[in-house]
Amino acid sequence: MIWCVEDDASIRDIELYTLRSTGFEARGFEDGGAFLAAMETERPELVLLDVMLPGINGVELLRRMKASARFADIPVIMATAKGAEYDKIQSLDLGADDYLVKPFGMMEMVSRVKAVLRRCQPAPAARQLTAGGLTVDLEERTVTADGERVCLTYKEFELLRLFLSRPGVAFTREQLLSGVWGVDYTGETRTVDMHIKTLRQKLGGYGAGIATVRNVGYRWELTP
C-alpha cells in the first residue's frame, strides 16, 4: 500500500489514479494530521510525502517517522518544490530515501516508487550455512560433508544450525536447551552433552569444529 500525503486534491487524485493503474494499492491524505492518525492503526509500504503541507509540514512528518522505532524503516519519497534545494538536502539528511521535484511526471513517480521498494526490500534469508566442506541446507534440512550426506536427527540438525549461524559464540548448555529444545524443556543439561557427542561422531572430521568451552558449554570454531 502506497500512501500519498498531498494537500492539492487534483495532484493527489492523479497520483492515486496512476499508482492504482500500475498495479499498486494506494491511499491519499490531505494533511499530516490525517496521515498520523492512520499510522496508529495501519502501516504503509511506502510514503510519498509532500514537503509543503498545511499544519504539520512534510519535513516534520519525516522527522517524526524516522525518530520512531515503529515507523523508521518505512521508505519515504519526498515531493519538493522546484529550486527548493534546502528541502531536498534536509529531507535526505533526515532519512528520506528519494525525492521528486515538482512538477514531476507520473511515470517518473512510478519508476522511483518501484526503485525505492526494490532497494528497501529485506535481504533474503540465507538458504545455506557453510563451514569449509560442510554444508547445511536450511530449506531442504540436509547436511553434507565434502559432498557426502550426513543423516542427523532433528535436534542434532538444530544444534548444528545454531552453531553455524553464530560461529565463535560460546553457548551455555542452558542456552542450547532453550534454543533447540524450547524454553519449557525441563530436562537436565546432560542431554545437550549426549547430543553433542553423537553430532560430533556423525560429522567425522568436522566434528572437531564443535569445541568445548570449559565451565560454559560449546562453540563452533572451524573457520567458515
Side-chain angles (χ1 to χ4, degrees):
M1 172 72 77
I2 311 300
W3 286 10
C4 301
V5 190
E6 167 63 63
D7 62 315
D8 187 315
S10 60
I11 296 176
R12 187 173 66 250
D13 287 346
I14 194 170
E15 288 177 349
L16 295 174
Y17 173 80
T18 303
L19 288 166
R20 289 165 181 164
S21 64
T22 51
F24 291 101
E25 292 183 73
R27 181 178 177 185
F29 300 89
E30 63 181 1
D31 56 46
F35 168 72
L36 289 175
M39 290 283 278
E40 292 301 315
T41 57
E42 299 179 62
R43 180 184 172 89
E45 190 176 4
L46 178 146
V47 177
L48 181 60
L49 183 57
D50 187 30
V51 169
M52 300 300 293
L53 292 170
I56 309 171
N57 66 37
V59 173
E60 177 59 25
L61 290 173
L62 175 66
R63 190 193 312 276
R64 294 187 189 186
M65 287 180 65
K66 297 306 177 181
S68 168
R70 292 172 57 197
F71 309 132
D73 62 333
I74 298 174
V76 178
I77 299 176
M78 301 297 290
T80 66
K82 185 177 182 180
E85 185 175 0
Y86 177 74
D87 287 339
K88 291 185 287 187
I89 294 172
Q90 186 181 27
S91 297
L92 293 171
D93 286 345
L94 286 172
D97 297 272
D98 203 350
Y99 64 87
L100 286 160
V101 177
K102 290 184 172 181
F104 51 82
M106 289 298 103
M107 296 319 295
E108 178 189 2
M109 176 193 71
V110 171
S111 294
R112 288 182 181 268
V113 165
K114 290 180 178 179
V116 169
L117 288 175
R118 283 195 299 269
R119 292 201 305 267
C120 295
Q121 284 180 344
R127 184 176 180 274
Q128 292 184 338
L129 297 172
T130 60
L134 186 66
T135 300
V136 176
D137 191 303
L138 300 177
E139 291 185 358
E140 296 181 358
R141 293 190 66 84
T142 58
V143 177
T144 56
D146 297 326
E148 296 293 325
R149 180 68 65 87
V150 179
C151 294
L152 301 181
T153 66
Y154 178 85
K155 301 299 187 188
E156 291 165 353
F157 182 93
E158 288 300 303
L159 282 169
L160 183 59
R161 178 194 61 77
L162 188 58
F163 284 133
L164 292 189
S165 66
R166 300 181 65 186
V169 173
F171 292 95
T172 66
R173 290 172 175 81
E174 289 75 16
Q175 287 173 323
L176 294 173
L177 278 169
S178 175
V180 175
W181 277 260
V183 293
D184 295 325
Y185 185 80
T186 57
E188 298 180 359
T189 56
R190 197 67 177 163
T191 301
V192 173
D193 299 328
M194 294 170 57
H195 279 76
I196 293 293
K197 180 180 179 180
T198 58
L199 177 58
R200 281 172 169 161
Q201 292 172 344
K202 290 182 178 182
L203 293 178
Y206 291 103
I210 304 175
T212 301
V213 182
R214 190 174 180 181
N215 298 323
V216 179
Y218 300 95
R219 68 165 167 248
W220 183 263
E221 288 191 342
L222 195 63
T223 302

